[in-house]
Amino acid sequence: MPLAFLLFMGAVNIAYGSYSASLLLRARRSRLQLTLLWRANGVWCGLCLLYIALLWDMLTVWGVLHLGLEALYVGGLGCVERRWMPALIRTDRPAN
């Protein structure tokens, strides 16, 4: 894979990890924040599949496997987040 593409993927994964960790640590999580999370996973899943198609001639088997498994993982994670979103929303303050 091209170096610029790998750096882009790394930056996206750091941004996503930071955002999802911040939601985990919050006392309150809104529907909007969680919707952004599961939709971002869906978009990234689609982009991983698109990158496989666009970079097919440059990718090794390991590159295809990496992007394919990442698409499967984030797509599945987005489905789980969407399914469990009502349980993940917190609008009240935790008891002290």
Side-chain angles (χ1 to χ4, degrees):
M1 287 187 242
L3 178 61
F5 178 68
L6 289 173
L7 293 174
F8 170 70
M9 283 188 63
V12 168
N13 282 312
I14 288 170
Y16 170 79
S18 298
Y19 181 70
S20 61
S22 75
L23 288 181
L24 176 68
L25 298 173
R26 290 176 192 236
R28 296 186 204 187
R29 292 187 288 259
S30 71
R31 177 175 298 279
L32 177 62
Q33 291 167 324
L34 293 168
T35 298
L36 178 62
L37 185 68
W38 69 261
R39 286 189 178 184
N41 277 328
V43 168
W44 190 246
C45 173
L47 285 174
C48 285
L49 297 173
L50 178 64
Y51 292 141
I52 289 172
L54 293 175
L55 300 173
W56 184 260
D57 293 338
M58 290 186 220
L59 296 175
T60 64
V61 171
W62 298 111
V64 172
L65 189 61
H66 172 82
L67 287 171
L69 289 174
E70 184 156 352
L72 184 63
Y73 177 77
V74 298
L77 188 57
C79 289
V80 169
E81 289 161 349
R82 174 63 185 105
R83 163 67 179 92
W84 291 99
M85 190 168 64
L88 295 171
I89 294 172
R90 288 191 199 158
T91 55
D92 57 330
R93 292 190 183 271
N96 289 336

